[in-house]
Amino acid sequence: MKTRILFLQLALLVSFVAFGQDKVTASRIRTAMWESPKEEFNIIEIPEKWKSEDAVIIATSEERSYQKPPLSAYLIEENASHNRVKILSNAALSDYGQLSFKKSTVFRGITLETYVGFKIIKPDGKEIIIENSEAVSEELEVNTGTKLTTLKLAIPNLEIGDILDYYIVENYKFPTTKYHSFDPAIFLLRQKYPIMYGNIRFAVLRRCYINLKTYNGAPNFEKINDGEEDIYQLEYIDQEKVEPIPWFYAYRSLPTIKFKVTYASSTAAYQAPNLLKKDQPGYLNTSVNYEEISSYLKSYMNLIYGFGSLTKYMKTNYKGVRDKSVLVKEAFYHQRHKLSVQFQENWAIRGNSSYIGLRRSIMLKNLSSYFKKAKIPHSYIVSVPQQIGTVDNLIIEEEVLLGLRANINPPIYITSFTAHSLVNELDENFDGAAVLISSDVSGSGPVSFEKRKMPQSPDFRNQVLTQNSVEINLESLTTKMTVIKSLSGLARFDDQKLYMDAYDFVNEERIKYDLKPITEDLPRKRLEETKKLIKEYWGSRDKKLNNNLLEQTKNKLDVEIDTVHSFKIIETGRSEEQSMFIYEFTVVSSDLLKKAGNNYFLNVGKLIEKQQEIDNEFKKSRVYDIYREYPRRFHNQITIHIPDGYSVQGLEKLQVAIENETGGFVSEAELSNDTLKIDAIKYYSNSYEPASNWNKLLEFTTIAEDFNNLKVLIKKNE
Amino acid sequence: MIKKATQIVFLLASFLVSSQELKDRFEDSDVAFEHFISTYEYYWDETSQSLKIKQTDEVIIVPLKTNARFSWPIFYNDEISLGDIDLRNQKGRKYKYQKVCGHVEQSGIFYSDAKVCTYEMVFTVKNEKIKLTSSRVYRDPRYFTKINLPFILPGKSRIVKIIYPQWVNAEFVSLNFDGQDIETTETISNDKKSIQYKLEWPNAFDGGEKNTPSTAFYSPHLIALTKSYLHPKNGEKIELINNVRALYNWYKTLVSNVDNQRDSLTHIVSELTQNKNSDEKIKSIYYWVQDNIKYIAFEDGIMGFQPEDAHSVFDKKYGDCKGMANLLKTMLKIAGFDARLSWLGTNHIPYSYEIPSLVVDNHMICSVIENDKIIYLDATVKFNKLNYTPGHIQGKEILIEAGDDYLVNEIPIADSEENFEAIDLDMTIVGGTLKSTGNIRLEGDSKQFFLYMYNNLWNTAKDRFVRSYISQSGESDDFNFEIEETNRDSILMITVATASDHLVSEFDGELYIQMELRNEFSEDKINFKRVAPYAFPNRRHIRSVSNLPIPDGYKVTFLPEPLVISSRGYSFNLKYEIKGDKIYYLKNIDIDDLILTPDEFESWNESIKKLNEHYNNSIILSHED
């Protein structure tokens, strides 16, 4: 009976409770939580090593139960959370001194029952149970009827040195459907405070499927035989606290558990796109095989309704073209236009982009259908979001990121799906990542997969080249900079989004795809509205752009900016011939030139843009591996015009060269006539570095940080 | 039928107003109102046999951009009940809205009875204007206190109309009306008085910028003083709040409901006070409440004004300002002191007791009268020392209980001897680096703020906080520090040792040195477009002395000119001087007044520009020939 599981009893009891809290259930939960808990929940001492922490989590437990009681018309999801925490500082007292939980309610056909308990254990062992009646309620009512109430409890008499032991149990009843997908969840086994003991348990009954993965050193679940049901439990101990650090992906570095539970009837399990082990409901599924991925992709693609008349377009315009690489590329750019570009003007003036989520899947469906018809062999490429994990840890269908590879010579990759993406462009979730590549999917035969590491783009492919011509005005103490920025690869997307709109690039495709003006063929009222929207959009367009530019420049240079003006796009960076996004602008600042006696200082170090500062504490050592989005390079070519009658001093410090396997910072300065030229390159070679490379990374980032403070003297000639 | 026809005519007339002018004037807004009329009418409620006020709002909202959205908020609480709401489009048809109602979350307040219902309007080509009418009822005239003229939206015509029967004695105090084009019209009929305030083209509240004070400091508004009325049935005069005495009496009524069970506090009081003199006893109790009672703000109906029982706060170890003040008073009384509850407004509101209204007070503390001296004890401010009144209530009027009588005092403003940041640094140049050793001493509000932050941050964040406090920017090269004293009774001393590469530069045998480490206020230029005043968080008195021995073989060839700026509310005084073989850098900065008004922004910005020029300038040393 030691492993008696609270939620099983609960589920049966709740089935007889209509609405409102049930006192018997509440009492049973309290007994289970506080009178016969696991022994770790009775501990009062904390280890010596953690006595100077803000708080120590003595024990924490998360229990999840997903059930379909026999003959019932509802599904039950139950989340039970139990924590026992030693409070050691005012900061932790603030964290745990005020807690909130949802009030039992019925909304949109879902019944929620909440059961809570809070008690304090004083250092002398005295236990004080807090009455929930002390809680105040905050209501939120949407229209009339749906009322969600949060109860807030300020824990009375809680002091530093106390232990707070509390539980919150939420029991949801959902009306039954044939297929119900519960929200995926992800747990980190390390938190803000160190943990002495923790456990996570699952109970899954009757046609509920659970897909679950533990990784990054998280222990595995074990099956506990309770005599009646199978319970899965994971226990962990002795976890240090974790705090936010730079270049850190928590789910890639910390012990992690991700899971998803699905209720499905036997037929629905097979029909819906999922990664379930269809014949094994109730089984804790910790891996997916290639067959399941293949089955998922097949049903996923079957569900997507493709549109866009790609095949017709290709037949009309590329009849007789035998070069398959041309066909693949043209098909991609047609889809980029039809599923994104042609809507951009409307999205811009209406301030929304509601179709973006659909685009990737529809494009893949359309391309694959066309490739099949055109007999272009092709494969799916499966990856997962970079920040969550790798394809080795794939367990939930929501993680799947899909791309295509046209299997021609040379192959063409399609993995990037913005309005400015190009073929053979690997976005950050595919660049350098381990992926699964399917066998040819152009036929109807079975699909197999092969795991492969994609090439990582070199830093220079994702480059920000800044050419900056600087004129200084000694009288007004201002610096005028004429800047040309050329961005390539993945480094261009952010700036394209910030500084370029439909009116800058849609015309590039208007003729090719016969795109009509958005005002054409509209009914009168719609036309009137559209014209108004266009006028309003243009009324604020320049202002918005200038604000973006001013804020971005201010943050990047880390100086106050007086004005920015003369913004102009030179190249949009949307074709293989012109793949760089190039724009120019002029910026004036009074924050770079300072008077120094009869001479002047120019803060040249600021011109290369601010290096991310790393706190001294974090510089000392690094435990966790280092993650950045992608390898990248910042190249600054600065030309400073020295005023007549003045010379410049202090160039020697501008000569720097530090390079290692993680990247480098190299700067050269040269004075020729009245012009000072600085050529500074900083690059990060990889998106991933092991923690052991931390000092190598710091070697050049610290030099770049110091470089930001460098100044030259503009000295009056004698 | 007649009513309906009138309504349509009215609507048509209203909608004839062109929205182009609104668009031209308020180009940054998505929506505006054409007119917004709030009518407050006093009436006798037969059911409850009490005087009430009905507020009726009528507003016509127009989009300034196509497809604009706006959620109109209607606030209420336990003392204000919501009445009818009606939304109609320009054709007079009912507009179907999305409504969301709930409690208002306010920063720093754990729980408040303030609630809001928002009505979402989506404007389309078909739906160009919406007329909203709503009503609310103030159940008790005492809680009918403040009427704002501007709103969160800009608009063309804002009208506030107050109608009250002749048998109601009320006064409406207009504040921040100077410089505003507000037309006031009074009408008296046989049995009613009516006052109308009309403001043309009001801007929206400008509250989004950094350090914006409460709108009460700058936005035109009315304070309603419902002083008394004659009972409409029997003619009896019912006093409400007609002067400070009545305000005090009302507070006293609420306080009389408090049931302080002193017995449960005697043990702790005797433990805290045994073998101590008077000062030590007060200090001991004051500090115990500061340290052991967590401040949690509640603003719940009547409980927004009535303190919680002392023993309850003691048992729970938390309370709001009233609960903490009442606990302090009760404990000090047990210890034999003349302790009294005291009401006041913090520096977040601008009112004084010239206006006898609940709106004047938003805080409660405990005052102790000892040897004819009043000691103000605010236990919500942690780490505050006895005999120092926290900055947020300095200069404010305070209403102190005195049995059936009361006292109104003004809390003195601490001078620079009591509230300062003093920095003393010995600097040397070692190998191209400016090394500084010395100390920073904090007293008054700066010390209290530092100690509060230091003691309430996570352990891992303390170090970063101290560094950023010392450097005032987060920048630090080689930075060591030690906190020597954290006792709230002593001056807090932080010893520092820094080494800064970027403050010394050598060019052609000349040394360029900046002796400024902290650059206070260097980033505090105020946006010239700002409409709202600028509020400093607290008064500051900075005294900094740094000295640098002139290195052997060098002579001083340039010292920046002194900077002397003295303006209303602030002064900057910075200079370099040579005494013997040392260069001294002396910096005195005083912020004496907490509010800068928009007409002062230009001179403030000019001052900051000069301050930065001084900070950025260098002293120059050359080799002696």
Side-chain angles (χ1 to χ4, degrees), chain A residues 52 54 90 139 141 143 152 157 193 529 536 543 595 599 615 711, chain B residues 28 66-67 99 101-103 110 316 455 458-459 464 502 512 514 617:
Chain A
S52 60
D54 288 296
N90 279 320
E139 291 170 358
E141 188 174 5
N143 291 324
K152 288 168 74 178
N157 202 7
Y193 302 116
E529 182 204 40
E536 282 168 12
K543 193 174 168 186
K595 197 129 180 36
N599 305 321
D615 195 279
K711 49 198 172 193
Chain B
D28 290 335
T66 312
N67 295 346
K99 174 177 128 184
C101 296
H103 281 80
F110 176 69
K316 289 201 278 194
N455 284 286
W458 288 279
N459 293 332
R464 260 169 272 159
H502 62 282
Y512 291 75
Q514 288 170 282
N617 212 335

mmCIF file of all heavy atoms in Angstrom, chain A residues 52 54 90 139 141 143 152 157 193 529 536 543 595 599 615 711, chain B residues 28 66-67 99 101-103 110 316 455 458-459 464 502 512 514 617:
data_model
loop_
_atom_site.group_PDB
_atom_site.id
_atom_site.type_symbol
_atom_site.label_atom_id
_atom_site.label_comp_id
_atom_site.label_asym_id
_atom_site.label_seq_id
_atom_site.Cartn_x
_atom_site.Cartn_y
_atom_site.Cartn_z
ATOM 1 N N SER A 52 23.250 28.193 2.411
ATOM 2 C CA SER A 52 23.267 29.623 2.064
ATOM 3 C C SER A 52 22.452 29.917 0.801
ATOM 4 O O SER A 52 22.511 31.005 0.253
ATOM 5 C CB SER A 52 24.709 30.103 1.888
ATOM 6 O OG SER A 52 25.302 29.363 0.867
ATOM 7 N N ASP A 54 18.805 30.557 -1.288
ATOM 8 C CA ASP A 54 17.597 31.325 -0.943
ATOM 9 C C ASP A 54 16.478 30.405 -0.441
ATOM 10 O O ASP A 54 15.697 30.783 0.413
ATOM 11 C CB ASP A 54 17.093 32.084 -2.172
ATOM 12 C CG ASP A 54 18.007 33.241 -2.523
ATOM 13 O OD1 ASP A 54 18.110 34.155 -1.696
ATOM 14 O OD2 ASP A 54 18.623 33.220 -3.604
ATOM 15 N N ASN A 90 14.569 36.438 2.204
ATOM 16 C CA ASN A 90 13.406 37.285 1.909
ATOM 17 C C ASN A 90 12.922 37.075 0.477
ATOM 18 O O ASN A 90 11.731 37.140 0.200
ATOM 19 C CB ASN A 90 13.777 38.763 2.074
ATOM 20 C CG ASN A 90 13.734 39.177 3.520
ATOM 21 O OD1 ASN A 90 12.842 38.777 4.255
ATOM 22 N ND2 ASN A 90 14.704 39.961 3.945
ATOM 23 N N GLU A 139 -11.795 37.588 -10.079
ATOM 24 C CA GLU A 139 -12.640 36.994 -11.113
ATOM 25 C C GLU A 139 -12.324 37.536 -12.497
ATOM 26 O O GLU A 139 -11.888 38.679 -12.628
ATOM 27 C CB GLU A 139 -14.106 37.303 -10.811
ATOM 28 C CG GLU A 139 -14.610 36.573 -9.594
ATOM 29 C CD GLU A 139 -15.970 37.063 -9.162
ATOM 30 O OE1 GLU A 139 -16.485 37.999 -9.800
ATOM 31 O OE2 GLU A 139 -16.492 36.517 -8.190
ATOM 32 N N GLU A 141 -14.526 37.356 -16.115
ATOM 33 C CA GLU A 141 -15.717 36.852 -16.784
ATOM 34 C C GLU A 141 -15.725 37.328 -18.227
ATOM 35 O O GLU A 141 -15.605 38.531 -18.483
ATOM 36 C CB GLU A 141 -16.963 37.358 -16.057
ATOM 37 C CG GLU A 141 -18.228 36.726 -16.581
ATOM 38 C CD GLU A 141 -19.443 37.120 -15.754
ATOM 39 O OE1 GLU A 141 -19.294 37.952 -14.853
ATOM 40 O OE2 GLU A 141 -20.522 36.600 -16.038
ATOM 41 N N ASN A 143 -17.783 37.775 -21.521
ATOM 42 C CA ASN A 143 -19.209 37.906 -21.794
ATOM 43 C C ASN A 143 -19.987 37.439 -20.551
ATOM 44 O O ASN A 143 -19.495 37.578 -19.443
ATOM 45 C CB ASN A 143 -19.601 37.167 -23.068
ATOM 46 C CG ASN A 143 -19.012 37.880 -24.268
ATOM 47 O OD1 ASN A 143 -18.926 39.099 -24.278
ATOM 48 N ND2 ASN A 143 -18.564 37.124 -25.251
ATOM 49 N N LYS A 152 -6.249 33.770 -4.514
ATOM 50 C CA LYS A 152 -4.891 34.185 -4.121
ATOM 51 C C LYS A 152 -4.779 34.078 -2.604
ATOM 52 O O LYS A 152 -5.624 34.602 -1.880
ATOM 53 C CB LYS A 152 -4.643 35.632 -4.549
ATOM 54 C CG LYS A 152 -4.470 35.777 -6.053
ATOM 55 C CD LYS A 152 -4.527 37.216 -6.466
ATOM 56 C CE LYS A 152 -3.285 37.995 -6.107
ATOM 57 N NZ LYS A 152 -3.380 39.401 -6.589
ATOM 58 N N ASN A 157 1.955 33.948 8.597
ATOM 59 C CA ASN A 157 2.933 33.449 9.577
ATOM 60 C C ASN A 157 4.096 32.687 8.935
ATOM 61 O O ASN A 157 4.709 31.848 9.571
ATOM 62 C CB ASN A 157 2.198 32.544 10.582
ATOM 63 C CG ASN A 157 2.960 32.424 11.878
ATOM 64 O OD1 ASN A 157 3.961 33.118 12.072
ATOM 65 N ND2 ASN A 157 2.518 31.550 12.750
ATOM 66 N N TYR A 193 15.579 26.950 -7.512
ATOM 67 C CA TYR A 193 16.132 26.557 -6.210
ATOM 68 C C TYR A 193 16.567 25.098 -6.287
ATOM 69 O O TYR A 193 15.965 24.310 -7.032
ATOM 70 C CB TYR A 193 15.064 26.710 -5.114
ATOM 71 C CG TYR A 193 14.523 28.123 -5.004
ATOM 72 C CD1 TYR A 193 13.184 28.397 -5.272
ATOM 73 C CD2 TYR A 193 15.351 29.187 -4.646
ATOM 74 C CE1 TYR A 193 12.688 29.685 -5.178
ATOM 75 C CE2 TYR A 193 14.850 30.480 -4.560
ATOM 76 C CZ TYR A 193 13.528 30.729 -4.829
ATOM 77 O OH TYR A 193 13.037 32.005 -4.745
ATOM 78 N N GLU A 529 -12.594 50.681 -48.608
ATOM 79 C CA GLU A 529 -11.875 50.340 -47.386
ATOM 80 C C GLU A 529 -10.387 50.117 -47.668
ATOM 81 O O GLU A 529 -9.521 50.628 -46.968
ATOM 82 C CB GLU A 529 -12.478 49.061 -46.783
ATOM 83 C CG GLU A 529 -11.815 48.665 -45.491
ATOM 84 C CD GLU A 529 -11.954 47.180 -45.180
ATOM 85 O OE1 GLU A 529 -11.841 46.353 -46.111
ATOM 86 O OE2 GLU A 529 -12.147 46.854 -44.021
ATOM 87 N N GLU A 536 -3.724 55.168 -45.101
ATOM 88 C CA GLU A 536 -3.322 55.231 -43.684
ATOM 89 C C GLU A 536 -1.952 54.586 -43.481
ATOM 90 O O GLU A 536 -1.114 55.083 -42.733
ATOM 91 C CB GLU A 536 -4.343 54.507 -42.817
ATOM 92 C CG GLU A 536 -5.596 55.319 -42.555
ATOM 93 C CD GLU A 536 -6.699 54.486 -41.936
ATOM 94 O OE1 GLU A 536 -6.434 53.347 -41.492
ATOM 95 O OE2 GLU A 536 -7.826 54.975 -41.928
ATOM 96 N N LYS A 543 7.489 56.981 -40.734
ATOM 97 C CA LYS A 543 7.699 57.244 -39.320
ATOM 98 C C LYS A 543 8.038 55.938 -38.579
ATOM 99 O O LYS A 543 8.961 55.870 -37.770
ATOM 100 C CB LYS A 543 6.413 57.856 -38.748
ATOM 101 C CG LYS A 543 6.565 58.460 -37.386
ATOM 102 C CD LYS A 543 5.278 59.160 -37.016
ATOM 103 C CE LYS A 543 5.266 59.532 -35.558
ATOM 104 N NZ LYS A 543 3.977 60.070 -35.154
ATOM 105 N N LYS A 595 34.784 66.353 -26.031
ATOM 106 C CA LYS A 595 35.854 67.341 -25.929
ATOM 107 C C LYS A 595 36.857 66.863 -24.896
ATOM 108 O O LYS A 595 36.490 66.319 -23.852
ATOM 109 C CB LYS A 595 35.237 68.680 -25.515
ATOM 110 C CG LYS A 595 36.080 69.875 -25.733
ATOM 111 C CD LYS A 595 35.308 70.962 -26.508
ATOM 112 C CE LYS A 595 36.095 72.210 -26.771
ATOM 113 N NZ LYS A 595 37.472 72.141 -27.054
ATOM 114 N N ASN A 599 41.384 69.287 -27.560
ATOM 115 C CA ASN A 599 41.285 68.206 -28.528
ATOM 116 C C ASN A 599 39.955 67.463 -28.351
ATOM 117 O O ASN A 599 39.109 67.891 -27.567
ATOM 118 C CB ASN A 599 42.464 67.252 -28.353
ATOM 119 C CG ASN A 599 43.779 68.020 -28.454
ATOM 120 O OD1 ASN A 599 43.922 68.938 -29.272
ATOM 121 N ND2 ASN A 599 44.728 67.691 -27.589
ATOM 122 N N ASP A 615 28.493 38.920 -17.763
ATOM 123 C CA ASP A 615 28.782 39.256 -16.381
ATOM 124 C C ASP A 615 30.054 38.535 -15.912
ATOM 125 O O ASP A 615 30.295 37.382 -16.260
ATOM 126 C CB ASP A 615 27.592 38.810 -15.526
ATOM 127 C CG ASP A 615 27.628 39.427 -14.158
ATOM 128 O OD1 ASP A 615 28.358 38.905 -13.294
ATOM 129 O OD2 ASP A 615 26.945 40.432 -13.982
ATOM 130 N N LYS A 711 38.992 54.598 -27.849
ATOM 131 C CA LYS A 711 38.769 55.897 -28.484
ATOM 132 C C LYS A 711 40.074 56.363 -29.103
ATOM 133 O O LYS A 711 41.157 55.941 -28.673
ATOM 134 C CB LYS A 711 38.238 56.899 -27.461
ATOM 135 C CG LYS A 711 39.016 56.966 -26.165
ATOM 136 C CD LYS A 711 38.179 57.636 -25.077
ATOM 137 C CE LYS A 711 38.878 57.531 -23.725
ATOM 138 N NZ LYS A 711 38.021 57.883 -22.610
ATOM 139 N N ASP B 28 -1.575 59.933 -33.861
ATOM 140 C CA ASP B 28 -1.015 58.711 -33.278
ATOM 141 C C ASP B 28 -2.070 57.803 -32.650
ATOM 142 O O ASP B 28 -1.755 56.705 -32.202
ATOM 143 C CB ASP B 28 0.029 59.071 -32.209
ATOM 144 C CG ASP B 28 1.274 59.673 -32.845
ATOM 145 O OD1 ASP B 28 1.516 59.382 -34.028
ATOM 146 O OD2 ASP B 28 1.983 60.435 -32.167
ATOM 147 N N THR B 66 -8.670 52.768 -40.181
ATOM 148 C CA THR B 66 -9.603 51.735 -40.631
ATOM 149 C C THR B 66 -9.384 50.458 -39.827
ATOM 150 O O THR B 66 -8.255 50.117 -39.488
ATOM 151 C CB THR B 66 -9.374 51.472 -42.135
ATOM 152 O OG1 THR B 66 -9.321 52.734 -42.776
ATOM 153 C CG2 THR B 66 -10.479 50.647 -42.727
ATOM 154 N N ASN B 67 -10.466 49.800 -39.539
ATOM 155 C CA ASN B 67 -10.431 48.552 -38.773
ATOM 156 C C ASN B 67 -9.825 48.709 -37.378
ATOM 157 O O ASN B 67 -9.241 47.768 -36.842
ATOM 158 C CB ASN B 67 -9.670 47.446 -39.530
ATOM 159 C CG ASN B 67 -10.377 47.055 -40.807
ATOM 160 O OD1 ASN B 67 -11.538 47.406 -41.006
ATOM 161 N ND2 ASN B 67 -9.687 46.367 -41.684
ATOM 162 N N LYS B 99 -17.529 41.370 -24.046
ATOM 163 C CA LYS B 99 -17.365 42.002 -22.741
ATOM 164 C C LYS B 99 -16.443 41.145 -21.876
ATOM 165 O O LYS B 99 -16.587 39.925 -21.838
ATOM 166 C CB LYS B 99 -18.742 42.112 -22.091
ATOM 167 C CG LYS B 99 -18.734 42.612 -20.669
ATOM 168 C CD LYS B 99 -20.174 42.734 -20.170
ATOM 169 C CE LYS B 99 -20.343 42.019 -18.857
ATOM 170 N NZ LYS B 99 -21.703 42.014 -18.358
ATOM 171 N N CYS B 101 -15.005 41.147 -17.897
ATOM 172 C CA CYS B 101 -15.052 41.809 -16.589
ATOM 173 C C CYS B 101 -14.118 41.086 -15.628
ATOM 174 O O CYS B 101 -13.975 39.865 -15.685
ATOM 175 C CB CYS B 101 -16.455 41.759 -16.004
ATOM 176 S SG CYS B 101 -17.654 42.663 -16.977
ATOM 177 N N GLY B 102 -13.520 41.841 -14.754
ATOM 178 C CA GLY B 102 -12.664 41.200 -13.758
ATOM 179 C C GLY B 102 -12.019 42.197 -12.845
ATOM 180 O O GLY B 102 -12.218 43.405 -12.983
ATOM 181 N N HIS B 103 -11.240 41.664 -11.928
ATOM 182 C CA HIS B 103 -10.514 42.535 -11.011
ATOM 183 C C HIS B 103 -9.389 43.250 -11.753
ATOM 184 O O HIS B 103 -8.815 42.714 -12.689
ATOM 185 C CB HIS B 103 -9.911 41.715 -9.877
ATOM 186 C CG HIS B 103 -10.909 41.348 -8.826
ATOM 187 N ND1 HIS B 103 -11.791 40.306 -8.982
ATOM 188 C CD2 HIS B 103 -11.176 41.891 -7.613
ATOM 189 C CE1 HIS B 103 -12.556 40.225 -7.909
ATOM 190 N NE2 HIS B 103 -12.208 41.168 -7.055
ATOM 191 N N PHE B 110 -1.711 43.428 -3.538
ATOM 192 C CA PHE B 110 -2.040 42.003 -3.528
ATOM 193 C C PHE B 110 -3.506 41.792 -3.889
ATOM 194 O O PHE B 110 -3.844 40.928 -4.682
ATOM 195 C CB PHE B 110 -1.738 41.422 -2.142
ATOM 196 C CG PHE B 110 -2.133 39.984 -2.010
ATOM 197 C CD1 PHE B 110 -1.454 39.000 -2.705
ATOM 198 C CD2 PHE B 110 -3.194 39.607 -1.189
ATOM 199 C CE1 PHE B 110 -1.820 37.659 -2.593
ATOM 200 C CE2 PHE B 110 -3.568 38.279 -1.071
ATOM 201 C CZ PHE B 110 -2.879 37.306 -1.772
ATOM 202 N N LYS B 316 -0.688 36.690 11.599
ATOM 203 C CA LYS B 316 -0.471 36.344 10.185
ATOM 204 C C LYS B 316 0.918 36.728 9.688
ATOM 205 O O LYS B 316 1.386 36.228 8.694
ATOM 206 C CB LYS B 316 -1.519 37.051 9.317
ATOM 207 C CG LYS B 316 -2.917 36.464 9.501
ATOM 208 C CD LYS B 316 -3.819 36.784 8.348
ATOM 209 C CE LYS B 316 -4.426 38.136 8.447
ATOM 210 N NZ LYS B 316 -5.528 38.367 7.535
ATOM 211 N N ASN B 455 18.773 43.051 0.761
ATOM 212 C CA ASN B 455 18.228 41.990 1.597
ATOM 213 C C ASN B 455 17.061 41.259 0.972
ATOM 214 O O ASN B 455 16.595 40.273 1.534
ATOM 215 C CB ASN B 455 17.804 42.569 2.950
ATOM 216 C CG ASN B 455 19.008 42.838 3.827
ATOM 217 O OD1 ASN B 455 19.619 41.912 4.366
ATOM 218 N ND2 ASN B 455 19.391 44.096 3.927
ATOM 219 N N TRP B 458 17.689 37.723 -4.633
ATOM 220 C CA TRP B 458 18.266 36.389 -4.549
ATOM 221 C C TRP B 458 19.773 36.530 -4.331
ATOM 222 O O TRP B 458 20.392 37.492 -4.803
ATOM 223 C CB TRP B 458 18.014 35.613 -5.840
ATOM 224 C CG TRP B 458 16.591 35.222 -5.961
ATOM 225 C CD1 TRP B 458 15.977 34.155 -5.369
ATOM 226 C CD2 TRP B 458 15.585 35.900 -6.714
ATOM 227 N NE1 TRP B 458 14.636 34.149 -5.710
ATOM 228 C CE2 TRP B 458 14.366 35.190 -6.519
ATOM 229 C CE3 TRP B 458 15.574 37.024 -7.512
ATOM 230 C CZ2 TRP B 458 13.179 35.577 -7.105
ATOM 231 C CZ3 TRP B 458 14.385 37.415 -8.098
ATOM 232 C CH2 TRP B 458 13.215 36.694 -7.892
ATOM 233 N N ASN B 459 20.336 35.561 -3.647
ATOM 234 C CA ASN B 459 21.766 35.644 -3.324
ATOM 235 C C ASN B 459 22.611 35.870 -4.566
ATOM 236 O O ASN B 459 23.558 36.649 -4.546
ATOM 237 C CB ASN B 459 22.216 34.353 -2.623
ATOM 238 C CG ASN B 459 21.567 34.229 -1.250
ATOM 239 O OD1 ASN B 459 21.241 35.250 -0.629
ATOM 240 N ND2 ASN B 459 21.352 33.015 -0.797
ATOM 241 N N ARG B 464 25.553 41.548 -8.349
ATOM 242 C CA ARG B 464 25.290 42.368 -9.531
ATOM 243 C C ARG B 464 24.596 43.672 -9.149
ATOM 244 O O ARG B 464 24.871 44.726 -9.693
ATOM 245 C CB ARG B 464 24.394 41.597 -10.523
ATOM 246 C CG ARG B 464 25.191 40.981 -11.657
ATOM 247 C CD ARG B 464 24.334 40.025 -12.457
ATOM 248 N NE ARG B 464 24.404 38.700 -11.860
ATOM 249 C CZ ARG B 464 23.499 37.746 -12.038
ATOM 250 N NH1 ARG B 464 22.451 37.968 -12.782
ATOM 251 N NH2 ARG B 464 23.649 36.574 -11.484
ATOM 252 N N HIS B 502 39.463 52.397 -19.354
ATOM 253 C CA HIS B 502 38.955 53.358 -20.322
ATOM 254 C C HIS B 502 38.931 54.785 -19.802
ATOM 255 O O HIS B 502 38.549 55.688 -20.532
ATOM 256 C CB HIS B 502 37.571 52.929 -20.803
ATOM 257 C CG HIS B 502 36.540 52.883 -19.726
ATOM 258 N ND1 HIS B 502 36.459 51.849 -18.843
ATOM 259 C CD2 HIS B 502 35.567 53.758 -19.389
ATOM 260 C CE1 HIS B 502 35.460 52.090 -18.008
ATOM 261 N NE2 HIS B 502 34.910 53.236 -18.316
ATOM 262 N N TYR B 512 45.374 61.668 -20.668
ATOM 263 C CA TYR B 512 44.010 62.205 -20.618
ATOM 264 C C TYR B 512 43.252 61.376 -19.589
ATOM 265 O O TYR B 512 43.151 60.153 -19.725
ATOM 266 C CB TYR B 512 43.326 62.082 -21.986
ATOM 267 C CG TYR B 512 43.914 62.993 -23.027
ATOM 268 C CD1 TYR B 512 45.143 62.705 -23.612
ATOM 269 C CD2 TYR B 512 43.236 64.132 -23.432
ATOM 270 C CE1 TYR B 512 45.687 63.543 -24.568
ATOM 271 C CE2 TYR B 512 43.768 64.980 -24.391
ATOM 272 C CZ TYR B 512 44.997 64.680 -24.958
ATOM 273 O OH TYR B 512 45.530 65.514 -25.902
ATOM 274 N N GLN B 514 39.832 60.860 -17.005
ATOM 275 C CA GLN B 514 38.484 61.224 -16.531
ATOM 276 C C GLN B 514 38.347 60.658 -15.121
ATOM 277 O O GLN B 514 38.580 59.477 -14.898
ATOM 278 C CB GLN B 514 37.421 60.612 -17.429
ATOM 279 C CG GLN B 514 37.326 61.277 -18.783
ATOM 280 C CD GLN B 514 36.446 60.484 -19.720
ATOM 281 O OE1 GLN B 514 36.858 59.478 -20.272
ATOM 282 N NE2 GLN B 514 35.225 60.935 -19.874
ATOM 283 N N ASN B 617 34.603 65.283 -20.306
ATOM 284 C CA ASN B 617 35.836 66.020 -20.513
ATOM 285 C C ASN B 617 36.971 65.379 -19.709
ATOM 286 O O ASN B 617 36.728 64.565 -18.818
ATOM 287 C CB ASN B 617 35.642 67.489 -20.119
ATOM 288 C CG ASN B 617 36.494 68.397 -20.983
ATOM 289 O OD1 ASN B 617 37.525 67.974 -21.523
ATOM 290 N ND2 ASN B 617 36.073 69.632 -21.131
#
